[in-house]
Amino acid sequence: MPPLKTSSSYVPTGDQPGAIATLADGLRAGERFQTLLGATGTGKTATMAWIIEQVQKPALVIAHNKTLAAQLCNEFREFFPSNAVEYFVSYYDYYQPEAYVPQADLYIEKDSSRNDDIDRLRHSATSSLLSRRDAIVVASVSCIYGLGSPEEYESRLVFLTVGEETDRDLVLRKLVDIQYSRNDTLLGRGRFRVKGDVIEIQPAHSETAYRVSFFGDEVESISHFDPLTGEVLSKLEHITVFPATQYVTSKPTIERAVVEIRHELEEQVKQFESKGMMLEAHRIRQRTEYDLEMMVELGFCNGIENYSRILDGRPPGSAPHTLLDYFPSDFVVLVDESHQTIPQIGGMYEGDRSRKQTLVDYGFRLPSAIDNRPLRFDEFLEKVPQMVLVSATPGAWELKQSTRVAEQLGREMVVGIDPAAREDQRAGGEGHALGALDHQQLGRAGRPVAGDDQGRGGDRLIAHGRQVSVARPKKKPPGANSGRPFAPTQGRRRLHAADVLLLCIARVERVVGILVLELLLLVAERVRLAVRGVVGGLARQRVEVGLRLVHLDIVDLVLVAAATRRKRQRGNAGHGKSKPFHAFVPQEGWSQASAITAMRPKTPDPLFSL
């Protein structure tokens, strides 16, 4: 199994090496809670990756929403190109939970839309955790919700090895038992098809499939292929087929669970009847009998997770199995944006309990359904051996629990400039500082520095030299079109963030100003046309005169802006060097009226015919 190894394209800089050493030493020493206090944009995601590399343990990274989890997963895949980085979030695009509103006697049936791709990624996460140690899972709070038993899941694996004596019909029965469906026409996730002595299987966690050829009862060959094109990707010696659902159960388990569910059903019916709640007694009997029949015949039913405590053989009130149970005992948890994620983890249980209790009280579910729930916060902490809390603003609980707090308040970045701009500076001209900036952030060794975790620049910009103004580039910097980042080799200058900010504000104001003027022009025209169709006589003439004046003022502003822009372009064209951006100031003898007169059309225009 390959070790957890980050890409050599990234190196820690600034405060990152100190934070990595502090937290990695704490994890090796067995400290349970630590905090990484890092300012926004200082590369906390990169620090987490290097910590995982240092301790060489499977890791669970928890984020407080799907979008952030997806971003973190992509970044970790760049850091760990040779390891298994998985994504585990809720697979529902839309989810309406089962609920009952007693005040309106309204039952809301469970309705959901499942995302097939996310379901595949969830299966990939559980299969990676059970088959390799170099696994990193980026998850949302979905990781604390109930999942099937990992022991039952692992016991249902189907192993196939080239040269092994295996009955083909027995393999087919095993695939059906772990919820694979046979479809000889269309192969898809969680399906298999049979053509004579050849079985083609597409696992639930994969977009590719396996072709197993038998010679009698012997596995003759196993090939990995693309089900869409039929291209053979590789030849294999053995494969492991994981179940198509995390809630897989064996037939003896189903038989045992049916007896216990029937016993709980009778107890609940007696309780309702003793209170005179005959409708609720009939309702719970009807719904539970239907679920039992489906489980006996198919080994599965809709809402089987509500019977998970009985299927797992757990006592009442015990914590459910979750993704945390699929990890080995020595894994580490990193909580990103802990000031939001920790309260979210603590709040999941109470909301779920309130809804489930109402369903039980009115005969929609058995009391055992309450134990299909997310973990309480204390149960979550019991399952986590070591935790690193990552935040720019950690809360009181994080700081109180942490034995170490590593600060990461800045990150060094080197800004390069065009050597030609340096010569311009020596000659007294205005150099071009922005045009020569590398498209990547360059480290001291010429390698790109790891990006920040939220797509923003670092808060500390380190360079050498004097302050320069931001100017329009005279020409493209060397290497701009060569596909290689420009590496500064000569001059360096200090470039303040305020210069860049002012430049951005000027550009935004120019674009927004033009859009606002055009919008006002359109509105004035629409109002004028509307007034002409509604108001008559002298009132209409007065309104039109007023609108005409407003209209002309707006046109004047547009024309003045255009004239200003052209005049500045003509002024820049006459100089050998580029000039910095600055506000345009009209020269002596120039007026708005002259610009408007010069730019008005020669032919009559409807705009001026009111």
Side-chain angles (χ1 to χ4, degrees):
M1 196 64 60
L4 288 161
K5 180 66 176 176
T6 57
S7 172
S8 59
S9 300
Y10 304 97
V11 292
T13 61
D15 293 339
Q16 289 176 324
I20 295 166
T22 299
L23 298 175
D25 291 342
L27 290 174
R28 295 191 194 98
E31 297 184 15
R32 192 173 180 197
F33 297 103
Q34 300 180 89
T35 293
L36 172 61
L37 194 160
T40 300
T42 57
K44 296 190 292 294
T45 303
T47 301
M48 288 191 285
W50 284 311
I51 291 172
I52 295 172
E53 181 186 30
Q54 290 288 323
V55 299
Q56 290 294 310
K57 292 182 178 181
L60 171 64
V61 181
I62 305 179
H64 60 87
N65 61 58
K66 286 183 176 182
T67 304
L68 180 57
Q71 177 182 335
L72 287 173
C73 184
N74 287 332
E75 291 177 357
F76 272 104
R77 284 177 177 171
E78 291 182 8
F79 282 114
F80 296 96
S82 303
N83 304 116
V85 179
E86 306 292 350
Y87 182 62
F88 190 95
V89 299
S90 173
Y91 49 46
Y92 294 114
D93 286 333
Y94 164 77
Y95 182 70
Q96 171 61 59
E98 182 184 28
Y100 179 67
V101 184
Q103 294 81 358
D105 191 23
L106 174 65
Y107 172 70
I108 303 173
E109 190 175 2
K110 177 181 176 180
D111 185 22
S112 63
S113 173
R114 180 178 295 188
N115 188 307
D116 193 62
D117 288 329
I118 296 181
D119 187 35
R120 175 180 60 81
L121 294 172
R122 285 168 62 97
H123 281 284
S124 179
T126 53
S127 61
S128 293
L129 290 174
L130 295 178
S131 59
R132 53 195 302 177
R133 274 190 60 85
D134 63 325
I136 300 170
V137 179
V138 182
S140 65
V141 292
S142 181
C143 66
I144 69 170
Y145 276 77
L147 204 61
S149 168
E151 292 79 11
E152 190 74 27
Y153 183 83
E154 193 170 10
S155 66
R156 308 293 290 173
L157 302 180
V158 177
F159 300 96
L160 296 172
T161 305
V162 174
E164 183 182 44
E165 292 285 339
T166 304
D167 186 7
R168 191 202 68 146
D169 295 337
L170 178 61
V171 173
L172 300 182
R173 284 195 294 270
K174 287 182 178 180
L175 292 175
V176 173
D177 289 342
I178 59 176
Q179 303 302 316
Y180 279 78
S181 60
R182 178 171 178 173
N183 189 321
D184 291 339
T185 303
L186 180 64
L187 198 61
R189 285 194 327 104
R191 297 177 183 175
F192 70 95
R193 61 187 177 193
V194 184
K195 298 179 179 179
D197 288 339
V198 177
I199 304 176
E200 294 179 350
I201 309 165
Q202 183 166 348
H205 65 273
S206 175
E207 293 181 313
T208 55
Y210 300 99
R211 181 178 293 119
V212 183
S213 301
F214 286 84
F215 183 75
D217 288 338
E218 180 183 349
V219 178
E220 185 177 28
S221 65
I222 300 175
S223 57
H224 185 204
F225 72 100
D226 187 337
L228 183 63
T229 63
E231 177 188 1
V232 176
L233 304 177
S234 62
K235 296 288 186 178
L236 305 175
E237 291 298 320
H238 58 84
I239 60 170
T240 302
V241 182
F242 289 84
T245 175
Q246 281 96 359
Y247 295 98
V248 64
T249 51
S250 61
K251 193 170 184 63
T253 302
I254 292 288
E255 293 172 351
R256 175 188 55 79
V258 167
V259 175
E260 294 186 25
I261 294 172
R262 288 191 186 278
H263 176 72
E264 185 180 13
L265 171 62
E266 296 301 327
E267 294 294 328
Q268 190 71 359
V269 169
K270 288 180 182 178
Q271 182 178 349
F272 281 137
E273 290 177 346
S274 65
K275 297 179 181 179
M277 303 171 68
M278 306 307 295
L279 175 61
E280 286 77 4
H282 174 72
R283 179 186 291 151
I284 190 63
R285 182 180 294 277
Q286 183 183 42
R287 292 171 61 89
T288 307
E289 290 288 353
Y290 175 79
D291 288 344
L292 290 175
E293 185 176 354
M294 294 291 291
M295 291 170 64
V296 171
E297 297 299 327
L298 302 178
F300 191 81
C301 71
N302 291 328
I304 193 173
E305 63 273 9
N306 290 293
Y307 305 104
S308 59
R309 177 179 67 78
I310 298 176
L311 291 168
D312 295 340
R314 294 184 283 113
S318 59
H321 293 295
T322 62
L323 179 69
L324 302 177
D325 296 303
Y326 285 75
F327 280 87
S329 59
D330 62 339
F331 75 107
V332 60
V333 174
L334 297 102
V335 183
D336 192 44
E337 303 294 345
S338 60
H339 62 282
Q340 293 189 12
T341 308
I342 291 295
Q344 190 180 53
I345 293 174
M348 293 294 102
Y349 170 78
E350 296 297 338
D352 183 83
R353 174 61 184 256
S354 175
R355 178 179 61 85
K356 289 278 182 66
Q357 189 64 54
T358 303
L359 291 171
V360 172
D361 292 342
Y362 288 90
F364 289 93
R365 288 293 174 189
L366 292 175
S368 59
I370 294 178
D371 290 326
N372 172 47
R373 56 176 175 81
L375 296 175
R376 297 194 305 269
F377 189 63
D378 60 315
E379 295 171 338
F380 168 74
L381 294 180
E382 290 177 1
K383 291 177 177 286
V384 174
Q386 290 181 297
M387 183 186 302
V388 176
L389 304 156
V390 181
S391 175
T393 56
W397 183 88
E398 293 99 298
L399 297 176
K400 180 181 177 180
Q401 298 293 327
S402 298
T403 55
R404 298 193 186 194
V405 177
E407 293 187 353
Q408 184 173 304
L409 304 180
R411 184 190 61 191
E412 291 185 359
M413 295 182 296
V414 174
V415 176
I417 65 171
D418 188 348
R422 182 182 177 90
E423 297 301 326
D424 290 342
Q425 179 190 4
R426 291 175 176 174
E430 293 290 348
H432 162 51
L434 277 185
L437 288 180
D438 185 7
H439 297 292
Q440 301 184 26
Q441 300 164 353
L442 296 180
R444 293 182 177 178
R447 290 178 287 184
V449 177
D452 58 80
D453 54 352
Q454 294 186 8
R456 305 196 252 308
D459 65 335
R460 185 191 300 173
L461 211 58
I462 303 298
H464 302 281
R466 67 177 183 88
Q467 180 178 350
V468 297
S469 60
V470 180
R472 183 187 302 275
K474 181 175 67 174
K475 60 181 180 180
K476 292 185 178 180
N481 299 324
S482 63
R484 299 192 305 272
F486 170 69
T489 56
Q490 298 184 25
R492 295 180 179 177
R493 299 177 184 172
R494 183 175 300 277
L495 178 64
H496 289 277
D499 297 330
V500 182
L501 181 61
L502 291 175
L503 175 59
C504 295
I505 291 175
R507 291 182 175 177
V508 170
E509 285 181 346
R510 184 174 64 183
V511 174
V512 172
I514 293 174
L515 293 177
V516 170
L517 291 174
E518 292 180 353
L519 179 61
L520 290 175
L521 192 66
L522 178 62
V523 170
E525 177 69 12
R526 293 292 179 89
V527 173
R528 184 180 66 82
L529 294 177
V531 170
R532 294 186 67 176
V534 176
V535 183
L538 183 61
R540 188 189 72 178
Q541 294 177 3
R542 290 177 177 176
V543 172
E544 286 192 352
V545 170
L547 289 175
R548 182 190 311 170
L549 295 176
V550 174
H551 206 160
L552 290 176
D553 287 340
I554 297 173
V555 173
D556 291 348
L557 290 173
V558 175
L559 296 177
V560 167
T564 300
R565 189 161 54 251
R566 281 198 295 271
K567 188 173 181 66
R568 183 174 59 192
Q569 292 173 354
R570 288 196 301 268
N572 289 340
H575 295 76
K577 298 190 183 116
S578 59
K579 291 187 176 181
F581 288 112
H582 57 84
F584 174 75
V585 179
Q587 303 297 323
E588 183 177 359
W590 185 90
S591 65
Q592 295 183 6
S594 60
I596 295 171
T597 303
M599 297 183 66
R600 281 181 176 170
K602 305 286 186 185
T603 58
D605 189 272
L607 187 64
F608 303 97
S609 62
L610 293 175

